[in-house]
Amino acid sequence: MEDLQTLHAAGHEVGCHTYGHVSTLGLSPAELEADLGRNAAWVAERLDGHEMRTFAYPFGDCALRAKPVIDRRFLCGRGVRDGINAGRADRNLLQAIGLESRRLPGYDLEKLVQDTADAHGWLIAYGHDVSDSPTPYGCRPEDIDRLIGLAKAAGLDILPVGAAWARAAR
Ligand SMILES: [Zn+2]
């Protein structure tokens, strides 16, 4: 929890990933609402009333009946389908790439970043942990550094999801 408060104080965006880290595929809308409410209360209590404005689906699972709930509560939601958001995109199921040790070898990051710049698009990157010995769902610090370096070289702005959404929605 101290980590969370430190990140928040440093200006990082804290978004919602559910309280129980449960797939929306197995939840009724009421159960999802209850989980999200519990998460919102837990975070607000610890982060000076902070209201989470963006959502990431656990496991990337997006049930059709979950979408109206996410739509109502958040600016946008992200899944785990690989891709760049450009032109028309589903704001409740944005595409992304996983900065995950299990996925990174399969990406051509140079091309993804260049394609994002060419399309005036938005490339979202996610992961669960950053460490010198990451889980399959996380990456090493140098993996993030590499992506940031590529993005800067391509002239892309680097923003938290909520701030990027605000710009894209203008
Ligand atoms: Zn997760």
Side-chain angles (χ1 to χ4, degrees):
M1 191 191 63
E2 217 170 274
D3 288 347
L4 185 66
Q5 289 169 327
T6 303
L7 287 168
H8 181 64
H12 290 275
E13 178 183 343
V14 176
C16 181
H17 193 41
T18 72
Y19 186 86
H21 202 259
V22 283
S23 167
T24 66
L25 299 179
L27 297 178
S28 69
E31 288 167 334
L32 177 58
E33 288 275 13
D35 177 285
L36 297 176
R38 188 175 179 198
N39 201 37
W42 193 94
V43 167
E45 198 174 296
R46 286 156 183 85
L47 300 183
D48 286 332
H50 173 65
E51 186 184 344
M52 296 173 290
R53 302 297 291 142
T54 62
F55 183 74
Y57 293 87
F59 318 103
D61 290 344
C62 174
L64 187 56
R65 61 188 176 179
K67 272 189 156 183
V69 177
I70 300 309
D71 185 48
R72 214 166 32 247
R73 295 185 75 112
F74 300 100
L75 297 172
C76 58
R78 167 190 70 70
V80 297
R81 192 158 60 93
D82 285 341
I84 295 159
N85 301 289
R88 300 180 77 86
D90 183 343
R91 124 180 123 81
N92 291 312
L93 192 55
L94 293 165
Q95 290 176 259
I97 60 165
L99 284 187
E100 302 180 314
S101 57
R102 62 177 182 152
R103 289 180 190 250
L104 273 168
Y107 291 131
D108 182 343
L109 286 182
E110 282 82 358
K111 183 175 186 326
L112 276 165
V113 167
Q114 194 53 55
D115 288 351
T116 303
D118 292 345
H120 302 288
W122 179 15
L123 181 65
I124 301 173
Y126 66 86
H128 256 253
D129 50 273
V130 181
S131 132
D132 290 330
S133 48
T135 70
Y137 313 101
C139 71
R140 302 166 304 165
E142 53 264 43
D143 297 320
I144 291 188
D145 287 345
R146 181 166 166 247
L147 181 59
I148 290 172
L150 289 169
K152 281 184 173 169
L156 298 177
D157 292 326
I158 299 163
L159 299 166
V161 168
W165 169 258
R167 185 177 297 184
R170 270 201 310 233

